[in-house]
Amino acid sequence: MNSDINSNRNILITGASGLIGTRLIKNLLEKGHRVFVLSRQSSNLKGVSTYNWDIDKQLIDLKAFEGIDTIIHLAGAGIADKRWTKQRKQEIVDSRIRSTQLLYNTINAIKAPIKTFISASAVGYYGDRNDEILYEQSASGTGFLADCCKQWEAVVDEGVKSGIRVVKLRIGIVLSKQGGALSELARPVSFFVGTPLGTGKQWMPWIHLTDLASIFEKAIENPHYSGTFNACTPYPVTNYEFTKILAKKLFRPVWPVNVPEFMLKTMLGEMSTLILNSTRTSPQKLMDMGFHFRYQGLDAALSEIYSH
């Protein structure tokens, strides 16, 4: 076994205050890793030192890189926070591209000995693909989300030229009791207005936060993790199935009338693709690496979340 596996690391995290970052910091500290954070403002995160950066001005505190061997890059403007105007779409792309460029430019300028760079990406890379089973080598799709992810991943891959081990995780819908997408999906169901969206046949790739954090940890600790991975459960479900299982956990009905696509497009504009795109991903590459999903099925995942 490679001696690097399970050795403690000095890890710098961007986007650390979000759902994934918060959970990761807790887990990594418990495992004995040293964790540092890059943030636009001071942080109250326990057990970590925070350094400042300004992506717009391309400024960064060089002290943040002292002793660091691993970077986890989660920073990026929220894709569901605001309506997708032309300006907002540019902000979403720029926040990912320019932050990555700032990290690599700094690494190269000061010759920081970074060994591993792990970046979030998204299943939006594949676009709307109906029932096609999507593997990491599948072609990229079309539309804003696919274009954003392609640009994002291309910039992340620049680290390979500097001899850095690069890992990209294409993340699906993250399920957690701490909030995130699940609270939004559960709201209409909770108020007795749960119903499939669009045709209801579109595939929803999802993952429990516990499993996602574990994937990041494996990517940090195991040098054989390299390239792109679909960070989603082996068992995606359709929107109808998701709504039905969620409603059962919340002891609510599912109404037999779908919310039509045109209504969602009228309400949300182009952002409706977040709901209507069908992305049937396979995490076969992760499973080939020996990764075991603690929550493979949606019923088990939601049972854990709503049991507290």
Side-chain angles (χ1 to χ4, degrees):
M1 182 178 289
N2 192 301
S3 60
D4 283 345
I5 296 179
N6 294 327
S7 62
N8 291 339
R9 304 297 175 86
N10 296 323
I11 303 166
L12 181 64
I13 302 181
T14 75
S17 61
L19 182 68
I20 300 171
T22 303
R23 177 62 173 271
L24 259 182
I25 288 173
K26 177 179 178 292
N27 288 13
L28 294 174
L29 289 174
E30 288 176 353
K31 283 192 161 190
H33 297 292
R34 297 180 67 208
V35 180
F36 306 84
V37 168
L38 268 177
S39 177
R40 291 173 296 178
Q41 52 199 11
S42 59
S43 169
N44 295 322
L45 294 168
K46 294 182 179 180
V48 302
S49 297
T50 301
Y51 298 93
N52 293 112
W53 68 338
D54 188 319
I55 298 167
D56 292 333
K57 296 179 180 178
Q58 291 287 284
L59 297 173
I60 197 166
D61 187 342
L62 298 183
K63 293 179 182 178
F65 294 86
E66 293 179 0
I68 297 299
D69 51 66
T70 302
I71 292 177
I72 299 177
H73 188 29
L74 305 174
I79 60 171
D81 295 354
K82 299 178 182 178
R83 195 177 180 90
W84 287 358
T85 62
K86 184 177 180 180
Q87 179 181 355
R88 181 57 179 174
K89 288 198 292 185
Q90 195 62 53
E91 289 173 355
I92 290 171
V93 174
D94 286 348
S95 66
R96 289 159 172 76
I97 303 301
R98 301 194 72 219
S99 61
T100 307
Q101 290 173 333
L102 176 55
L103 289 169
Y104 280 147
N105 288 342
T106 306
I107 289 168
N108 293 331
I110 67 175
K111 295 181 170 54
I114 305 300
K115 296 180 180 178
T116 303
F117 191 103
I118 303 168
S119 178
S121 183
V123 295
Y125 175 92
Y126 300 109
D128 185 13
R129 305 291 278 272
N130 297 315
D131 292 329
E132 180 184 355
I133 299 175
L134 300 164
Y135 302 93
E136 289 82 0
Q137 65 269 29
S138 298
S140 60
T142 58
F144 169 67
L145 286 176
D147 291 341
C148 176
C149 289
K150 281 187 286 185
Q151 294 180 60
W152 187 7
E153 291 190 13
V155 176
V156 171
D157 279 336
E158 289 295 309
V160 176
K161 298 176 183 177
S162 301
I164 297 172
R165 177 172 65 94
V166 170
V167 182
K168 298 165 293 183
L169 301 180
R170 291 178 184 154
I171 302 170
I173 298 168
V174 182
L175 303 184
S176 166
K177 57 192 169 191
Q178 280 79 37
L182 182 59
S183 60
E184 296 300 318
L185 292 166
R187 183 172 292 115
V189 177
S190 299
F191 287 104
F192 293 88
V193 287
T195 181
L197 304 175
T199 64
K201 297 178 181 179
Q202 67 271 31
W203 291 93
M204 298 174 62
W206 62 272
I207 186 166
H208 192 291
L209 180 59
T210 295
D211 283 328
L212 180 58
S214 183
I215 292 170
F216 272 98
E217 291 161 38
K218 293 290 186 184
I220 292 166
E221 297 166 354
N222 189 333
H224 300 297
Y225 275 68
S226 181
T228 309
F229 293 87
N230 287 334
C232 309
T233 177
Y235 300 107
V237 294
T238 64
N239 178 267
Y240 172 71
E241 290 172 320
F242 190 99
T243 306
K244 183 172 67 173
I245 295 171
L246 177 58
K248 182 180 178 182
K249 297 301 174 188
L250 296 175
F251 303 100
R252 298 291 190 272
V254 175
W255 299 102
V257 179
N258 294 27
V259 178
E261 288 189 22
F262 80 85
M263 186 176 295
L264 292 167
K265 290 177 179 178
T266 300
M267 292 167 56
L268 301 173
E270 192 178 357
M271 196 164 70
S272 61
T273 57
L274 290 170
I275 298 169
L276 297 174
N277 276 3
S278 181
T279 316
R280 191 179 183 181
T281 52
S282 167
Q284 188 61 50
K285 188 176 174 184
L286 274 174
M287 293 190 292
D288 289 344
M289 292 292 295
F291 184 83
H292 172 72
F293 287 85
R294 185 171 177 181
Y295 301 101
Q296 292 195 15
L298 183 61
D299 189 271
L302 293 180
S303 291
E304 189 280 331
I305 288 169
Y306 289 114
S307 65
H308 300 277

